[in-house]
């Protein structure tokens, strides 16, 4: 196997640091005061995600630092008056970009958002951490969903910036600006994005133009599941459709400008990334727990919830049960979004090793996930429609419209996001502002179903909520 990891101060980052000093990007380094962590302390798979471009170029650092030029109204005025540090913070907040966290160093690595690597020309390449590298309660955690990310907003602004600079010129980003990458902030339309990319390839990953789609687009909202659940499962995705193979993890490398040979050449790297995903630890609850109440909650949980979600403690179990939609009552659109023709196409191609690792044509419903670290995984359900554990336990009280108040905050009392519930959608909002409000009336975003907590008394629900913090 090729040597996969390298020292963080060598290679493209060192060259790019020199280019930054020459004015490639006006932003100063982020978090230069933080203590550096040597590469030997990081898993080689995380090293790859932090340092190795394994996808298509998305944009450049210079473009990222210039996006404010296409903002409108008060947002643009504020950015124009801001210092470079303030403008960087405004950009990160607008698109939900996350700092690198504990492995943050200095120089170029202090500028790159989590989920992006750079080459020596200042081009940025997205990776798995763009969606699976978020933060909770102000702490950056590898493998947790980025619940602030706004992919549609960033791609559309990039397209506007490039159109302003080069009128009439289009590229893949221009096409993607017309594709709904997400309907609500912090979620994705990843299932249909995979159909879009797959339509541009044959079974051997050779490019196909014009694209040949195996089904119509059934756009839907999903929340990225946490990586520490990966090692408990035999199959992945919310419906258990896909095998837990290395090639399955590589589907989102299928950008049109990359050759099939280039994508196939990354299999060794993704095997190491797969081993990292298997190793991601469960983050412990960082606040106080009422141990006596949690003990009562464990009894109620094991009576009502463990048959689907498993047991926890010294001898944990996880049944990996698929629950029919008719039983859960949760939004069914994701379940039926990927149609048999697309699954059959997958099973005939390289990603399934030509049928050796097939996806299921029929799944039967959604898989009840393990609940390790559930305190950190809000919002809940497969579409991220329920903002807190309290709302999961109180189906009739789930808000129809809500927005997050503080990206670094945490609602200890309810176990989840700090939110504002709305009675109605405000008038006059643009698309970006509407994506900041989770609307359960949007197709695929229903917060209905999973009414099993109704078997518990109010006192038992309070105890179960406390117990969930211990998992």
């Amino acid at each position: 196997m090729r040597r996969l990891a390298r020292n963080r101060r060598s290679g493209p980052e060192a060259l790019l640091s020199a280019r930054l000093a020459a004015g490639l990007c006006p932003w100063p380094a982020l978090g230069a005061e933080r203590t550096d962590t040597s590469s030997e302390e990081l898993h080689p798979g995380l090293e790859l995600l932090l340092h190795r471009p394994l996808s298509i170029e998305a944009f450049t650092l210079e473009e990222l630092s210039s996006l404010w030029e296409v903002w409108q109204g008060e947002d643009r005025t504020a950015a124009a008056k801001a210092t470079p540090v303030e403008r960087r913070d405004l950009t990160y907040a607008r698109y939900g970009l996350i700092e690198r966290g504990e492995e943050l160093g200095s120089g170029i690595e202090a500028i790159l958002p989590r989920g992006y690597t750079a080459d020596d020309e200042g081009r940025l390449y997205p990776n798995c951490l763009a969606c699976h590298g978020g933060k909770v309660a102000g702490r950056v955690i590898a493998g947790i969903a980025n619940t602030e990310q706004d992919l549609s907003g960033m791609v559309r602004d990039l397209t506007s910036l490039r159109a302003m600079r080069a009128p009439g010129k289009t590229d893949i980003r221009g096409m993607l600006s017309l594709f709904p990458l997400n309907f609500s902030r912090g979620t994705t339309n990843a299932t249909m994005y995979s159909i879009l990319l797959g339509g541009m390839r044959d079974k051997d990953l050779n490019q196909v133009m014009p694209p040949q789609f195996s089904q119509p687009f059934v756009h839907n909202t999903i929340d990225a599941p946490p990586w520490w659940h990966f090692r408990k499962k035999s199959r992945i995705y919310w419906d258990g459709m896909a095998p837990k193979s290395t090639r399955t993890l590589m589907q989102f490398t299928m950008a049109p400008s990359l050759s099939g040979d280039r994508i196939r050449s990354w299999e060794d790297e993704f095997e190491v990334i797969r081993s990292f995903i298997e190793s991601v630890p469960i983050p412990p609850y960082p606040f106080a727990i009422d141990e006596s109440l949690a003990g009562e909650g464990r009894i109620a949980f094991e009576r009502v919830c463990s048959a689907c979600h498993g047991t926890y403690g010294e001898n944990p179990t996880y049944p990996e049960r698929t629950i029919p939609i008719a039983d859960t009552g949760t939004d069914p659109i994701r379940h039926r979004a990927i149609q048999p023709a697309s699954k059959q196409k997958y099973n005939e191609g390289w990603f399934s090793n030509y049928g050796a690792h097939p996806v299921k044509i029929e799944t039967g419903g959604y898989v009840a996930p393990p609940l390790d670290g559930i305190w950190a995984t809000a919002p809940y359900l497969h579409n991220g429609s329920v903002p807190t554990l309290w709302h999961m336990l109180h189906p009739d009280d789930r808000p129809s419209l809500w927005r997050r108040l503080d990206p670094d905050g945490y609602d200890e009392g309810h176990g989840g996001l700090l939110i504002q519930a709305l009675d109605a959608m405000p008038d006059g909002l643009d698309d970006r502002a509407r994506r900041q409000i989770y609307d359960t009336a949007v197709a695929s975003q229903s917060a209905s179903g999973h009414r099993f907590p109704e078997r518990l008394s109010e006192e038992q629900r309070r105890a179960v909520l406390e117990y969930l913090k211990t998992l």
Side-chain angles (χ1 to χ4, degrees), residues 3-20 29-42 47 50-52 100-112 118-120:
R3 183 173 182 270
L4 300 177
R6 53 177 169 72
N7 186 277
R8 63 172 58 228
R9 299 295 177 216
S10 64
E13 284 84 358
L15 294 172
L16 182 52
S17 293
R19 291 173 59 83
L20 288 170
L30 281 162
E33 73 283 358
R34 300 195 188 189
T35 302
D36 191 12
T37 304
S38 69
S39 61
E40 288 74 22
E41 295 176 347
L42 299 180
E47 283 276 6
L50 291 173
H51 304 302
R52 184 71 62 83
R100 288 219 166 182
E102 294 176 358
E103 67 276 7
L104 187 66
S106 59
I108 174 56
E109 292 172 340
I111 293 175
L112 295 180
D119 62 19
D120 61 336

Side-chain angles (χ1 to χ4, degrees), residues 5 23 28-29 92 173 186 206 326 335 349 356 369 403 456 460:
Y92 271 55
R173 270 104 359 190
N206 298 311
H335 169 62
R403 59 182 162 200
L456 301 168
Q460 289 171 331

Side-chain angles (χ1 to χ4, degrees), residues 170 295 350:
T170 60
W350 184 85

Side-chain angles (χ1 to χ4, degrees), residues 39-345:
S39 61
E40 288 74 22
E41 295 176 347
L42 299 180
H43 190 289
L46 180 55
E47 283 276 6
L48 285 169
L49 292 173
L50 291 173
H51 304 302
R52 184 71 62 83
L54 296 172
S55 64
I56 187 179
E57 170 207 339
F59 45 85
T60 68
L61 268 174
E62 189 279 329
E63 287 176 322
L64 183 59
S65 65
S66 301
L67 283 177
W68 66 273
E69 296 176 13
V70 301
W71 299 355
Q72 302 294 319
E74 295 179 356
D75 291 343
R76 192 185 191 288
T77 300
K81 295 178 179 179
T83 66
V85 173
E86 292 168 339
R87 193 176 296 140
R88 176 204 68 209
D89 292 343
L90 289 171
T91 301
Y92 271 55
R94 184 181 182 94
Y95 305 117
L97 298 174
I98 305 295
E99 296 183 27
R100 288 219 166 182
E102 294 176 358
E103 67 276 7
L104 187 66
S106 59
I108 174 56
E109 292 172 340
I111 293 175
L112 295 180
R114 192 176 187 88
Y116 294 85
T117 54
D119 62 19
D120 61 336
E121 297 297 319
R123 294 182 290 254
L124 299 191
Y125 302 78
N127 60 50
C128 310
L129 291 172
C131 294
H132 292 274
K135 60 182 178 179
V136 62
R139 176 187 168 193
V140 176
I141 299 176
I144 197 170
N146 183 350
T147 60
E148 281 294 296
Q149 182 174 228
D150 184 11
L151 288 171
S152 287
M154 187 162 63
V155 170
R156 290 174 187 178
D157 284 354
L158 279 165
T159 301
S160 297
L161 180 69
R162 291 182 171 183
M164 181 177 69
R165 292 179 170 182
K169 183 178 179 180
T170 60
D171 61 9
I172 181 60
R173 270 104 359 190
M175 290 185 284
L176 283 180
S177 69
L178 303 176
F179 187 87
L181 293 170
N182 65 298
F183 299 99
S184 294
R185 193 177 178 102
T187 62
T188 71
N189 184 21
T191 51
M192 289 303 101
Y193 187 47
S194 68
I195 299 297
L196 175 70
L197 297 178
M200 303 177 189
R201 303 279 171 170
D202 67 12
K203 64 184 181 65
D204 300 313
L205 303 189
N206 298 311
Q207 295 181 14
V208 175
M209 287 295 172
Q212 298 178 5
F213 300 116
S214 52
Q215 66 163 80
F217 289 109
V218 184
H219 298 301
N220 63 98
T221 290
I222 62 169
D223 180 36
W227 276 351
W228 55 84
H229 288 173
F230 187 78
R231 60 180 169 272
K232 273 195 167 185
K233 296 181 176 182
S234 63
R235 303 185 68 83
I236 59 174
Y237 300 154
W238 287 107
D239 58 357
M241 176 187 82
K244 210 168 70 169
S245 68
T246 296
R247 292 187 181 184
T248 299
L249 302 180
M250 299 176 65
Q251 293 179 79
F252 295 102
T253 62
M254 289 189 291
S257 62
L258 295 174
S259 70
D261 288 341
R262 184 73 181 278
I263 295 172
R264 288 190 294 269
S265 74
W266 289 334
E267 189 170 4
D268 284 350
E269 281 86 347
F270 273 89
E271 175 59 28
V272 177
I273 291 170
R274 180 184 185 277
S275 71
F276 169 62
I277 295 174
E278 291 272 11
S279 75
V280 171
I282 302 165
Y285 186 72
F287 307 110
I289 296 176
D290 184 332
E291 297 292 347
S292 176
L293 185 61
E296 297 175 18
R298 177 173 184 166
I299 296 172
F301 176 90
E302 291 183 350
R303 177 175 63 83
V304 173
C305 314
S306 62
C308 294
H309 292 290
T311 60
Y312 303 83
E314 293 183 2
N315 299 298
T317 62
Y318 175 55
E320 201 169 6
R321 287 185 60 186
T322 298
I323 313 300
I325 301 295
D327 293 340
T328 62
T330 51
D331 194 295
I333 295 180
R334 163 61 184 90
H335 169 62
R336 58 177 184 251
I338 304 180
Q339 298 175 6
S342 291
K343 296 177 180 179
Q344 187 59 43
K345 178 181 177 181

Side-chain angles (χ1 to χ4, degrees), residues 285 289-291 294-295 312 373 375 465-471:
Y285 186 72
I289 296 176
D290 184 332
E291 297 292 347
Y312 303 83
W375 74 271
L465 175 57
E466 200 69 11
Y467 173 62
L468 292 175
K469 300 174 183 178
T470 71
L471 304 185

